[in-house]
Amino acid sequence: MPKTLSKVRIFADRDTACRSLAADLARQIASINEQGRNAVLGLATGNTPLPFYKELVRLHREEDLSFARVTTFNLDEYLGLTRDHPESYWSFMHDKLFDHIDIPAGNVHIPSGQPEDIESHCADYEQAIRDAGGIDFQLLGIGRTGHIGFNEPGSPRESRTRRIELDPVTRQDAAPAFDGLENVPTHAITMGCGTILEARRIGLLAFGQKKASIVREAIEGPITAEVSASFLQDHPDAAFYLDREAAGEL
Ligand code: GLP
């Protein structure tokens, strides 16, 4: 019996999980737009959400889902990368989603990989989220260290958007994409755990056997800064969307 408030939803495969979450999100965007305001989404990168973004693009093209009244905030960005670096999260988000939907460019927010002043950039990012009215729906993946965004082990529950040193495991996982560990940035800017937990609704996607043990720790283990995803356990509206492999150790 899970001792958590967070919901766990197990699907036959990743495409089915992503279609379900995308359909939920489309309904949420429509109902918020009906209230006369923009829907504010927190977005994530990585391989995991790719089928989810593909489904959002399909819903836009084939089923009239509009992002004209959507505002987005990405979780994180590697420090040191220019926007046009192929591995920047700016490039990722434009290639996979923003270039294929009708979101106004001014509604997109991604932390800069090359801010002039890191502290004021982070404070401005937090302020922009508040000015938008807070995040309605936050999408998350999970790293093998249990991180959400880049909130590596030791990230306090109250942490806000800030510079963080990447864990060796996280850098190792990114090495193939960067053509070698030596090319992987050592630091990033990430929304904090506190920033993420203020989202009104949260959906975490995790797929594949490689994520099974950290998914178990996040859902069934102690709530601890050593596994930042464990903070979702007592969020009032957080759900884990898993395939059978990722749920294999629950
Ligand atoms: C990076 C991102 C996370 C993501 C994680 C897992 O660390 N900053 O947001 O959840 O990778 O990536 P993947 O989905 O490729 O396993």
Side-chain angles (χ1 to χ4, degrees), residues 45-49 75-76 89 141-143 147 149-150 170 211:
T45 52
N47 287 320
T48 306
L75 284 165
D76 45 16
Y89 288 162
I142 184 168
H147 67 224
F150 270 134
T170 301
K211 298 284 171 81

Side-chain angles (χ1 to χ4, degrees), residues 11-21 47-52 205-211 241-246:
F11 296 84
D13 54 55
R14 59 191 69 197
D15 286 348
T16 317
C18 286
R19 277 200 299 273
S20 168
L21 182 59
N47 287 320
T48 306
L50 288 174
F52 176 75
L205 297 171
F207 305 130
Q209 199 265 327
K210 252 176 56 178
K211 298 284 171 81
Y241 289 71
L242 309 175
D243 65 2
R244 292 202 183 108
E245 288 75 25

Side-chain angles (χ1 to χ4, degrees), residues 1 18 55 108 124 130 141 147 152 177 189 208 223 233:
M1 185 61 187
C18 286
E55 177 63 5
V108 167
D124 290 349
R130 278 193 293 275
H147 67 224
E152 298 288 23
I189 288 184
I223 299 180
Q233 288 183 25

Side-chain angles (χ1 to χ4, degrees), residues 146-169:
H147 67 224
I148 48 178
F150 270 134
N151 288 287
E152 298 288 23
S155 294
R157 183 190 204 113
E158 301 73 30
S159 53
R160 310 304 303 190
T161 303
R162 69 203 187 288
R163 174 180 187 265
I164 188 138
E165 181 173 1
L166 299 179
D167 188 275
V169 171

Side-chain angles (χ1 to χ4, degrees), residues 25-48:
L25 182 61
R27 282 189 289 273
Q28 192 180 0
I29 292 171
S31 102
I32 292 169
N33 285 169
E34 273 166 27
Q35 296 162 27
R37 65 178 182 90
N38 276 22
V40 183
L41 311 183
L43 297 179
T45 52
N47 287 320
T48 306

Side-chain angles (χ1 to χ4, degrees), residues 190-213:
T190 183
M191 278 188 201
C193 297
T195 323
I196 292 168
L197 292 168
E198 280 169 13
R200 290 183 269 279
R201 182 174 159 234
I202 299 179
L204 184 148
L205 297 171
F207 305 130
Q209 199 265 327
K210 252 176 56 178
K211 298 284 171 81
S213 74

Side-chain angles (χ1 to χ4, degrees), residues 88-103:
S88 78
Y89 288 162
W90 176 277
S91 295
F92 176 98
M93 288 308 302
H94 286 78
D95 288 352
K96 306 303 179 201
L97 183 66
F98 299 142
D99 288 350
H100 313 288
I101 59 175
D102 61 341
I103 190 162

